[in-house]
Amino acid sequence: MVHDSPAIPTLYKKLLTLYPRPFREQLGESMEQTFCDLWRERRQQAKGGVFGFVLWMFSETAFGIGQEYIVLFKETHRMNRTLTYFRSPAVLGFLAILPFILLEWGFVITKGLSFDLRDVLDSVVVFGLLWLGVTAIFLILRPFASQLRAGGNAPAPTEPTSSNVLTRLTTNPKSAALISFVLALPFMFILALLILHIEPPLGPLTPLLKNPNPDQPHVLGTLIVVGAFLLAIVAGIIARTPLVWALQTGGSVLAHPLNLMLAVVILSFITTLVVGLAVDQYPCWIGVLNCD
Amino acid sequence: MTMTTPLLPLTPAVFHILLALAAGERHGYGIMKQVEVDSQNQVNMGPGTLYGSLKRMLEAGLVKESGKRVDPAMDDERRIYYQITGAGKKALVAELERYQHLVTLAHDRKLYPKTMAYGA
């Protein structure tokens, strides 16, 4: 295709490679053609710039890519397999924190204390973070435990045949390390600030990120922390994926030292949060008055 | 005639694509332009929506590819054309009958301007 400015159509063609393979093979060429026609039309129009058009086209297509993966997910029963994959660690995580939940409820019931909305929300956040953290630890370590149990009898995994970009990115040690580092950075940064009691200069973001009223829950701050934590969990899973693959193919975790280091660091940060939160909240659970 | 298929009622995107193809075979760009004309620029469909819908319509047998050829109104690039199938025409007619029923209902409830002309 001849265009006076091939950069945007070239970028769009690269975006199309993110579609699932069956979709790409069936409709990719036609889709690229249609975009080129639209791009040519837009360039020929006298009025209006192209920035809005490009933003709209790329966003709309990116949304379509997400939709196709959701459809593929459901059609190939991956949703069931994924739920099964998460179920055991989630249940184990819940069982691990259940004693603390019961401890707090027991204290509230025996003392006849009132629990207002703020207390309920605080409990949900604390126990939610604890559950997520413990679940994440189980999720990250489970494949290693499976390998240890199976020993030399573990069946060799089949080489991934999918040319799916996401699969390639997460199984390649270098790209997995980069992605996991980027995803884990916000959480490690926030946790480091908390541990070192550093208040960063927020400047114009101060009204957004500092809680103006300590008596009210800070929703945005909570969402930021939870969001960063979830990203760190994903980062930990991605970081350890090449290590698990190495073990499954008869290699050693030391074959990918960068991934090993990242996985250990992320796991340490998650464990620090879990243990720190439990230690901090334990007095509240056992009935120490005026704790928060 | 009533028709029940898993795809009914049709999504707006599928409906407009079938409507555009009912007028004749078109390639992707041609479908998007026809949808703009048919909807008086009220429906703006991007390639992601168009081809996501086309994929499901191809699987459901509502449309099919009718070959690759040059559009004489454009350049000499060969483009993939799509055409509506018999099942697609039936689905379109069923959806139009559903709309007809809704318009009649609206009129009965005095929600539709009496000055607007509509078919019997």
Side-chain angles (χ1 to χ4, degrees):
Chain A
M1 285 173 205
V2 177
H3 304 280
D4 51 343
S5 177
I8 298 297
T10 305
L11 268 174
Y12 191 79
K13 188 175 177 179
K14 287 194 190 306
L15 178 65
L16 293 181
T17 61
L18 294 178
Y19 268 101
R21 189 185 211 170
F23 185 99
R24 209 165 62 238
E25 287 175 350
Q26 187 181 19
L27 295 162
E29 184 190 349
S30 191
M31 209 165 163
E32 186 193 345
Q33 239 165 19
T34 301
F35 176 80
C36 287
D37 291 336
L38 290 165
W39 175 243
R40 188 182 299 114
E41 178 195 52
R42 187 71 186 189
R43 296 271 300 176
Q44 286 169 355
Q45 278 173 352
K47 59 179 168 96
V50 297
F51 178 73
F53 167 82
V54 170
L55 191 62
W56 155 242
M57 283 289 140
F58 277 67
S59 307
E60 196 263 353
T61 302
F63 185 71
I65 291 169
Q67 281 192 304
E68 289 307 314
Y69 274 103
I70 291 171
V71 168
L72 188 69
F73 210 55
K74 289 179 184 171
E75 285 175 354
T76 56
H77 307 293
R78 277 183 201 174
M79 187 172 275
N80 287 337
R81 288 206 296 270
T82 303
L83 287 174
T84 307
Y85 177 78
F86 283 107
R87 191 169 50 207
S88 302
V91 169
L92 285 172
F94 179 73
L95 290 175
I97 66 167
L98 189 59
F100 302 114
I101 297 175
L102 294 174
L103 208 54
E104 178 163 24
W105 284 0
F107 165 66
V108 169
I109 292 168
T110 53
K111 295 291 180 186
L113 297 175
S114 62
F115 235 44
D116 63 14
L117 180 65
R118 175 67 194 271
D119 297 322
V120 170
L121 288 174
D122 285 345
S123 282
V124 167
V125 170
V126 167
F127 286 119
L129 282 172
L130 280 175
W131 171 69
L132 272 176
V134 177
T135 303
I137 293 168
F138 284 130
L139 262 176
I140 292 169
L141 292 177
R142 186 172 72 169
F144 300 106
S146 302
Q147 279 298 115
L148 279 173
R149 273 202 309 270
N153 300 324
T158 53
E159 190 71 29
T161 55
S162 170
S163 64
N164 180 280
V165 171
L166 287 173
T167 307
R168 286 205 307 270
L169 285 174
T170 53
T171 51
N172 178 281
K174 285 181 187 158
S175 56
L178 181 62
I179 292 170
S180 61
F181 175 74
V182 169
L183 290 179
L185 209 50
F187 174 68
M188 292 196 289
F189 177 68
I190 292 172
L191 198 60
L193 290 177
L194 286 172
I195 291 171
L196 300 171
H197 298 287
I198 296 173
E199 282 226 20
L202 298 171
L205 295 177
T206 305
L208 275 177
L209 298 178
K210 264 186 115 53
N211 190 0
N213 187 353
D215 294 330
Q216 297 294 325
H218 192 211
V219 176
L220 181 63
T222 306
L223 286 174
I224 289 172
V225 169
V226 173
F229 192 38
L230 288 171
L231 286 177
I233 294 172
V234 172
I237 295 170
I238 292 174
R240 65 104 163 103
T241 299
L243 301 173
V244 173
W245 184 262
L247 283 176
Q248 288 175 340
T249 53
S252 160
V253 293
L254 297 173
H256 306 296
L258 187 58
N259 299 81
L260 179 63
M261 186 186 72
L262 273 167
V264 168
V265 167
I266 293 170
L267 199 55
S268 303
F269 271 84
I270 293 175
T271 308
T272 302
L273 175 74
V274 169
V275 171
L277 200 52
V279 166
D280 183 69
Q281 293 294 309
Y282 188 70
C284 304
W285 299 335
I286 60 170
V288 172
L289 296 176
N290 299 323
C291 76
D292 57 10
Chain B
M1 172 182 74
T2 54
M3 179 185 183
T4 54
T5 78
L7 287 179
L8 288 178
L10 301 178
T11 64
V14 170
F15 174 74
H16 278 286
I17 292 169
L18 287 176
L19 199 60
L21 290 175
E25 296 176 343
R26 295 182 194 282
H27 46 67
Y29 176 73
I31 294 173
M32 291 176 76
K33 291 290 112 185
Q34 188 61 49
V35 167
E36 277 181 23
V37 168
D38 291 345
S39 67
Q40 298 175 309
N41 286 322
Q42 297 298 309
V43 175
N44 278 313
M45 201 183 294
T49 306
L50 171 66
Y51 284 92
S53 302
L54 275 175
K55 178 175 180 287
R56 276 168 269 296
M57 292 164 79
L58 285 164
E59 286 167 358
L62 301 182
V63 300
K64 64 181 182 187
E65 288 184 16
S66 61
K68 208 171 174 180
R69 54 188 183 275
V70 171
D71 184 344
M74 299 180 75
D75 55 27
D76 52 2
E77 289 277 348
R78 284 163 60 82
R79 290 176 170 75
I80 298 170
Y81 278 70
Y82 299 92
Q83 71 178 60
I84 192 170
T85 61
K89 285 178 187 167
K90 285 183 185 170
L92 179 62
V93 167
E95 188 70 4
L96 287 168
E97 285 179 351
R98 196 175 71 85
Y99 284 170
Q100 179 86 31
H101 168 72
L102 290 172
V103 169
T104 307
L105 212 59
H107 177 253
D108 291 344
R109 294 177 188 174
K110 297 180 174 34
L111 296 171
Y112 201 68
K114 286 182 185 173
T115 53
M116 295 291 290
Y118 51 90

